[in-house]
Amino acid sequence: MKRRVGIILAVILAAVAVAAIVLGNREPDQPQATVVRGVIGSEKKPFFDDPRVKAAFARQGLRVEVDTAGSRQIVTDVDLSRYAFAFPSSVPAAEQIKNDRGATTTYSPFYSPMAVATFEPIAGLLVKAGLLRDSGKGYQILDIKKYLDIVSKGTRWDQIPGNSEYPARKRVLLTTTDIRTSNSAAMYLSAIGYVANGDDVPTSDAQISKIAPVLAPAVLDQGFAESSSEASFDDYLALGAGKTPMLVVYEAQYLAHVFAGDGAIKPDMRLVYPSPTVLSKHTLVPLAEPGNRVGELLTKDPELQALAAAYGFRTTDPKAFDDLVAKTKAPAASGLVDVVEPPTYERLDRLITTIDSARP
Amino acid sequence: MRRSLAAALLVPVLLLAGCGSGGDPGGQPADGPDVLRVLAGSEIKDLEPLLRRAEAEAGVKVRLTYTGTLDGAEQVAGGRADGNVDATWFSSNRYLSLIDGAASRLATQTKIMVSPVVLGLKPAKASELGWDGKQVTWADIAQAAKDGRFSFGMTNPASSNSGFSALVGVAAALADAAGALTAEQVESVTPRLKDFFSAQRLTAGSSGWLADAYARDQRVDGMVNYESVLLGMRDPLTLVYPGDGVVSADYPLTLLASAPDAKKSLYDKLAAWLRTPAVQKDIMTGTHRRPIVPGITPDSRFGDHQLIELPFPNRRSTADELISTYLNRVRVPAEARFVLDTSGSMTGDRIAGLRQALTALTGADTSASGAFTRFSNRETVTMFPFNDTPGRPIPFTVPERDPASVLADIKRFAQGLDAAGGTAIYDSLRAAYDLPPTPGHYTSVVLMTDGENTDGSDYAAFESYYRALPQDRRAPAFVVLFGESDVEEMRQVAELTGGALFDARSTSLSSAFKEIRGYQ
């Protein structure tokens, strides 16, 4: 059976290679480019779309084309036979793909901590409500334990004493993406799950059953959630606090705009860090040979590493990232200590399924 | 104006037909290496001039096929769009995303622009109500509606996203829901929804048609519609942005997972082009929609209100419950009159098609769009079958509860239809208007004929009859083109009555009837 899949895969790859040569020949400037198609988390799409990134790959004879999908979708729904690599946004998802597809190696060229994008008047209210405080290291932290208390009480914005800035009747809830499709929501779930589990990574079904009802309101009561982190960040940037008073983001999404100085981050916008937080380690799983080359280049090519930093990702060599933070006075936390590990893919998947079955 | 309206409505149906048969609709390219085939909501029709520029500026020819919101969602989720189109462009993917299995059909989604659904009122009415420049909530609006202080139009939530968004927003606000609406909240908020919607005087299957119908009807004080549509009206409206929140459309251009690789590149190019600052600015100035890309200075006409976005349901059953509650319990009940050609030329497949189309509306169509197009509880349906002369009108009233037996009666009526004799179109149409409307109902007429008028009075006679009718006896006629019906005369009937044309010649009577249900 496995052999047959292998043969089919080989045939498909041969077809892809032929198509690549045919298509590659259409580009007058890169006559020999091999097309490598990957499926990635949406938050990395701007990076792959950047002409400088495309040029860096082109110099190595590659043209990388990407489709986006949620990390969990990449594991469960996407037909991976169409792709030379999968590049989900977390280690658990990558490990699962690696096991499913019998890949031998993975590449983790960059990572980004989960953060919360909010606005000045909201941040002020969160301080008043005792959820947000200074870390003493130049950035603010959102206390997840206290946040879960507020969630369990069902507190609304207009119930925070002295709130005239944001008198919305909505619940005080972090906006997340859809836990069923999006990695950023799953990473967030890992962080709050750790707290709900008594400051420990959940490792048993019994623990999952116990914490699921505590966590469910934090992700379900917000109502409809976007399927990708790019879409919800679009809302944050364009529609402001009315739509998204506080949004769970990858730090990189926010910093990319600060580093670029493109004016998207307005003066009243704030980046704060949940405590604890989780690192989203973007991990590439090669599914065919050219995928390996993409993984190697992303990890080792100094130019690609610098470009990844420009997109807000923390790279293996921290220098590029640190330089950009210093240059733009970006609000990036240095020395994040309260970082916890996500559960295994299987455990996290069970947590998501259990919570989802309680959708209101 | 009226002519263009009727013509405009005809287009979507024709295009949809082109989709199935792979033809070349409306001079648009059918397919080709640089063609991106997009299944779209009619809401984005006003972007067509802009999209024509995409060929020169982005290297993408966009071929649009229009469909209704729910219908489109079902097509995509059920996989029927796969292979026929490469991408979708609806005003929102929210309902679609709630359907099981839909997520795996969709690849990349890129938001292009934003428009909140709000209330627009004639300026004099807004100031009479004290709503210009003051913070107003949906509860205030519902109270004024209950007191009969204003009237409004809104699209049918089962056919059009603007009506659905408005319904979700009003329900969430009136239920005082702090989080996602639940089925229990839908139940408890129903009396308040009834208050609000008691002031609805105009319904429609699409937001564009609603705007045209509103412009024609001086008796209606305003409408709930996209901010973009309200700002685009020739006679300016005062926009009321409820302080407790709105639901906005975000127009995600969405790649289907089934699209071939070459089309994916076209999708990327089009999405990137649409989000360039220049195009975003053109979208804003040309169509009054808010840009999604930061850094574009917003038009001052959007005002500086902070728009609270209300939570949207995250369960399909809740969304469906809300729509079904609106149709069967909340809305002003419909009074639908069906003038049906049963002449000799209808013999065979045609009469069978008519039987089937009517039967589908009695609950036989079990898809979601079928469930929402069936004859609703509290609705009055009167059948006017005709041939040489108008037949005896046959009335049905679907009860508020337990509709099954009346629906079965209508089904029996439909199954018993037979074809013979001549075609007295205008005598029969006149019979439908002779019947006084039921108070407290929303009256409309459907005219279905497959041929020319052979008996009785002619169009000219009907026109003078109609023009002499008092305002409260007039009602839009939704005219179905079928068989050899006289297109020009049918168009005149639609224009005269402020109705619309629906083409069943290349699709089916069933799909035309289903679409018309959105307008009743």
Side-chain angles (χ1 to χ4, degrees), chain B residues 85-305:
Chain B
V85 293
D86 313 307
T88 65
W89 200 0
F90 300 121
S91 43
S92 160
N93 278 353
R94 289 183 201 119
Y95 184 85
L96 167 59
S97 306
L98 296 182
I99 304 179
D100 283 337
S104 60
R105 306 271 178 202
L106 309 178
T108 311
Q109 307 185 31
T110 312
K111 296 185 186 208
I112 304 298
M113 54 203 181
V114 177
S115 199
V117 175
V118 297
L119 173 66
L121 282 174
K122 291 193 167 75
K125 182 53 86 174
S127 91
E128 179 193 317
L129 290 162
W131 289 352
D132 42 357
K134 182 175 159 263
Q135 187 68 273
V136 177
T137 63
W138 285 113
D140 299 332
I141 299 170
Q143 185 62 47
K146 185 187 181 188
D147 297 342
R149 298 183 67 198
F150 80 105
S151 61
F152 69 94
M154 188 186 95
T155 60
N156 184 322
S159 324
S160 157
N161 179 67
S162 69
F164 183 44
S165 301
L167 179 62
V168 167
V170 172
L174 294 182
D176 205 13
L181 207 61
T182 61
E184 296 77 62
Q185 283 171 318
V186 172
E187 177 61 36
S188 65
V189 81
T190 299
R192 303 195 70 198
L193 288 176
K194 277 186 177 171
D195 292 346
F196 181 88
F197 287 105
S198 66
Q200 187 180 358
R201 290 289 170 275
L202 206 51
T203 184
S206 81
S207 38
W209 193 89
L210 176 70
D212 290 335
Y214 164 80
R216 268 197 314 267
D217 193 337
Q218 284 308 304
R219 296 169 303 171
V220 182
D221 298 317
M223 59 180 159
V224 177
N225 212 326
Y226 298 112
E227 175 191 57
S228 61
V229 174
L230 299 172
L231 288 176
M233 296 301 286
R234 204 175 49 182
D235 295 328
L237 293 166
T238 300
L239 269 59
V240 178
Y241 295 89
D244 39 1
V246 295
V247 172
S248 302
D250 53 12
Y251 304 91
L253 182 66
T254 305
L255 180 69
L256 292 184
S258 61
D261 290 351
K263 302 292 187 182
K264 293 184 179 187
S265 315
L266 292 177
Y267 168 88
D268 284 346
K269 282 190 208 168
L270 181 66
W273 178 76
L274 285 166
R275 285 175 63 110
T276 55
V279 174
Q280 287 277 301
K281 204 156 184 252
D282 289 345
I283 288 174
M284 180 174 73
T285 50
T287 74
H288 316 292
R289 291 197 185 80
R290 298 175 182 226
I292 189 72
V293 173
I296 317 277
T297 312
D299 198 312
S300 61
R301 298 178 71 189
F302 298 139
D304 52 4
H305 320 263

Side-chain angles (χ1 to χ4, degrees), chain A residues 150-170:
Chain A
I150 286 263
V151 170
S152 73
K153 284 186 202 135
T155 307
R156 294 148 58 135
W157 286 106
D158 61 5
Q159 290 171 334
I160 296 178
N163 170 12
S164 58
E165 296 94 334
Y166 191 73
R169 290 196 285 185
K170 286 197 278 197

Side-chain angles (χ1 to χ4, degrees), chain A residues 300-313:
Chain A
K300 290 180 185 152
D301 184 274
E303 192 185 352
L304 284 169
Q305 283 269 297
L307 285 165
Y311 277 90
F313 296 111

Side-chain angles (χ1 to χ4, degrees), chain B residues 55 322 356 412:
Chain B
E55 186 179 353
L322 191 55
Q356 196 238 325
R412 242 188 318 276

